[in-house]
């Protein structure tokens, strides 16, 4: 009985930590926040022997995680593609996102914009086009982040609702 109790405690702690990390990951571009939040929810469900958080809740959480991740991905690409971004701009945006992590909130916001603009400038040598792609990438990032945060809040609501009922 002691071993089982220890395992349940471990699952609860690990699940809660993953849920928190997932929420943080919704604003950090390098972390897949919604899948991590789902993994934490799955551990919490397992800790409760799937009695409180059951199949229906987990399916809803999984669908939300997939949809939210897809919207984030599409928003970022569409933001850049609307202005005809080159492949270099897309790679630049990714590199800017990664580098931006080390510069706090300003880096998280400006990193993808600057990376996309520099990548576009390198590909086409046109500052006007580079600026347009950078701004469009930034707008796509904001839309994607808002979608991820909204999805994370919905997932937290489903999880709390399942735990309280």
């Amino acid at each position: 009985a002691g071993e089982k109790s220890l395992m349940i405690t471990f699952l609860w702690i690990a699940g809660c930590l993953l849920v928190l990390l997932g929420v943080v990951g919704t604003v950090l571009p390098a972390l897949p926040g919604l899948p991590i939040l789902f993994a934490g929810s799955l551990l919490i469900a397992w800790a409760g022997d799937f009695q409180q958080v059951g199949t229906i809740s987990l399916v809803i959480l999984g669908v939300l995680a997939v949809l939210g991740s897809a919207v984030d991905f599409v928003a970022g690409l569409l933001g850049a593609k609307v202005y005809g971004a080159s492949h270099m701009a897309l790679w630049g945006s990714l590199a800017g996102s990664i580098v931006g992590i080390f510069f706090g909130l300003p880096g998280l916001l400006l990193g993808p914009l600057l990376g996309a603009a520099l990548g576009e400038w390198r590909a086409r040598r046109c500052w006007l086009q580079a600026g347009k792609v950078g701004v469009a990438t930034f707008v796509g990032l904001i839309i994607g982040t808002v979608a991820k945060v909204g999805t994370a809040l919905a997932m937290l609501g489903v999880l709390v609702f399942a735990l309280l009922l």
Side-chain angles (χ1 to χ4, degrees):
E3 239 179 70
K4 185 174 182 178
S5 176
L6 185 62
M7 180 64 161
I8 290 170
T9 302
F10 171 77
L11 288 172
W12 268 101
I13 292 170
C16 289
L17 288 174
L18 283 176
V19 166
L20 289 174
L21 183 63
V23 170
V24 170
T26 62
V27 292
L28 292 178
L31 287 177
L34 299 176
I36 292 171
L37 200 155
F38 175 77
S41 300
L42 185 61
L43 289 181
I44 290 170
W46 186 12
D49 203 24
F50 301 96
Q51 296 302 307
Q52 291 174 295
V53 183
T55 305
I56 293 172
S57 297
L58 288 172
V59 167
I60 292 169
L61 290 167
V63 167
L64 285 171
V66 169
L67 288 176
S69 297
V71 167
D72 177 46
F73 179 74
V74 170
L77 287 180
L78 285 179
K81 281 297 186 185
V82 162
Y83 282 94
S86 66
H87 288 293
M88 290 295 293
L90 299 177
W91 283 109
S93 178
L94 176 64
S97 296
I98 293 168
V99 171
I101 290 171
F102 299 104
F103 295 96
L105 186 59
L108 291 173
L109 294 174
L110 297 176
L113 179 152
L114 294 174
L118 289 173
E120 186 65 21
W121 181 82
R122 186 165 180 244
R124 300 212 173 113
R125 303 282 190 221
C126 174
W127 284 111
L128 181 61
Q129 176 67 10
K132 286 180 181 178
V133 167
V135 169
T137 300
F138 179 73
V139 170
L141 172 79
I142 296 301
I143 291 169
T145 301
V146 168
K148 281 192 304 186
V149 169
T151 304
L153 291 173
M155 290 175 72
L156 288 173
V158 169
L159 182 61
V160 169
F161 186 76
L163 288 170
L164 294 178
L165 283 182

